[in-house]
Amino acid sequence: MGISPDNVHGLVLAVSSSVFIGSSFIVKKKGAGGHSYLCEPWWWAGMIAMIVGEIANFAAYAFAPAILVTPLGALSIIFSAVLAHFILKEKLHIFGVLGCVLCVVGSTSIVLHAPQERAIESVKEVWHLATEPGFLVYSGVVLVVVSVLIFRFVPLYGQTHMIVYVGICSLMGSITVMSVKALGIALKLTFSGSNQFIYYQTWLFTIVVCFACLLQINYLNKALDTFNTAVISPVYYVMFTSLTILASMIMFKDWDSQNASQIVTEVCGFITILSGTFLLHRTKDMGNAPIIKSSPETPVSTKANSTTSANTEEQQMTVF
């Protein structure tokens, strides 16, 4: 089974999104620090690149299934790592190269075996899918779990257990993506001449997108302010992508038209991307680590550094 034209459009948009988003981090970092960044052309160029990337990612969901678009977000890490190596002179060591290769291999497996996008003629069809018992149960479970996490676990464990904040972001993220896909389809049909904004369902999806995005951004910022970004990024990617694929399977029934071999290949591709992403984040500072030379005059300092490193590792291992 070949790749459908819609999947090709979604693939191009998703890869373009990763290029722009991955580049935006490097371009913004190249600008000046402190509070002068608003006057820096580099910072504005990076911000524009990020906005263009997010728009491309939004549009990709209108053409291709979430199981194709969402995992490809890992490609932004590759572009960011490669550009940092050449522009910021941040060394990309052998484990970083291996992580990039794993991400590319996994992405290729998913692209070649991704399901065909469902033909949808009206936003009412999407609403019908969203109101079927399976997805209603999933949405209800998500809302209950998120409410318990926010009102029960955040006050008690939010500052000590990373999984609380990341869980809220990932669960709401899966609902966000389904609503974004519905809104993207509505916009695609509207631009094709069939106005979908005359239906109240389109506006309901828009409200869900706005609410879920704000909640997601709020708790993601709290997580990044509290915990190590190098630990948060791969864990968030794994949970968000897994839950989004699960939500898409339930709502759009992506795997109904596929055989067991294709499904297993996609799962293996996804696991390969996860492995590459984890390897990139976990070892990204190895090439830039300072070499400490032992000498008789600095035993206490070396011991202190070792103790600090051990404490940091212990914190990262116990965040769950």
Side-chain angles (χ1 to χ4, degrees), residues 10-315:
L11 170 64
V12 172
L13 287 167
V15 173
S16 301
S17 170
S18 295
V19 171
F20 281 110
I21 292 175
S23 304
S24 70
F25 295 123
I26 305 306
V27 174
K28 287 196 291 184
K29 192 172 181 180
K30 190 172 177 62
H35 295 286
S36 61
Y37 64 89
L38 290 175
C39 300
E40 277 287 323
W42 281 112
W43 186 89
W44 283 107
M47 181 57 67
I48 292 172
M50 177 171 286
I51 292 172
V52 172
E54 292 296 347
I55 293 174
N57 189 57
F58 179 94
Y61 283 109
F63 291 95
I67 193 173
L68 170 62
V69 177
T70 307
L72 293 182
L75 296 180
S76 64
I77 303 172
I78 297 178
F79 291 112
S80 180
V82 172
L83 289 177
H85 177 77
F86 290 105
I87 297 177
L88 301 179
K89 307 303 179 185
E90 296 179 1
K91 184 175 176 58
L92 183 64
H93 50 80
I94 186 63
F95 290 110
V97 174
L98 178 60
C100 292
V101 171
L102 287 173
C103 288
V104 171
V105 170
S107 299
T108 303
S109 298
I110 290 178
V111 168
L112 293 178
H113 297 87
Q116 305 292 340
E117 175 70 341
R118 176 191 291 263
I120 294 178
E121 302 297 332
S122 170
V123 75
K124 287 185 175 182
E125 294 181 38
V126 185
W127 180 259
H128 175 72
L129 295 172
T131 53
E132 288 188 348
F135 192 72
L136 286 178
V137 170
Y138 175 81
S139 301
V141 170
V142 167
L143 292 177
V144 170
V145 173
V146 168
S147 298
V148 171
L149 288 174
I150 290 175
F151 296 110
R152 175 66 178 172
F153 287 94
V154 166
L156 296 176
Y157 306 109
Q159 298 298 311
T160 56
H161 293 72
M162 175 185 67
I163 199 68
V164 176
Y165 287 146
V166 175
I168 294 171
C169 297
S170 302
L171 287 165
M172 291 307 300
S174 66
I175 300 296
T176 302
V177 169
M178 296 303 100
S179 301
V180 163
K181 185 172 179 64
L183 187 56
I185 291 171
L187 287 170
K188 182 179 74 171
L189 293 173
T190 299
F191 290 142
S192 300
S194 176
N195 185 11
Q196 299 298 303
F197 286 87
I198 61 175
Y199 304 119
Y200 74 89
Q201 290 92 340
T202 303
W203 296 104
L204 286 177
F205 282 127
T206 303
I207 292 172
V208 172
V209 168
C210 294
F211 172 76
C213 281
L214 290 175
L215 191 66
Q216 197 177 340
I217 292 170
N218 177 49
Y219 284 98
L220 182 58
N221 285 334
K222 288 184 178 182
L224 293 173
D225 289 341
T226 308
F227 302 100
N228 190 337
T229 304
V231 181
I232 289 240
S233 297
V235 175
Y236 174 59
Y237 175 80
V238 170
M239 290 188 64
F240 168 72
T241 306
S242 301
L243 288 169
T244 297
I245 291 175
L246 175 62
S248 183
M249 285 168 48
I250 295 172
M251 180 172 170
F252 290 96
K253 302 174 179 60
D254 290 331
W255 284 349
D256 281 4
S257 61
Q258 295 194 289
N259 57 42
S261 174
Q262 292 172 316
I263 295 173
V264 170
T265 303
E266 290 167 17
V267 172
C268 290
F270 178 48
I271 294 174
T272 304
I273 293 176
L274 296 184
S275 303
T277 302
F278 178 81
L279 191 61
L280 270 170
H281 278 287
R282 190 64 178 173
T283 63
K284 67 177 182 178
D285 294 325
M286 286 180 59
N288 301 317
I291 300 176
I292 300 176
K293 295 183 179 179
S294 59
S295 67
E297 301 177 358
T298 59
V300 176
S301 175
T302 304
K303 182 178 180 180
N305 289 338
S306 300
T307 304
T308 302
S309 176
N311 290 339
T312 301
E313 285 296 320
E314 183 179 357
Q315 289 176 355

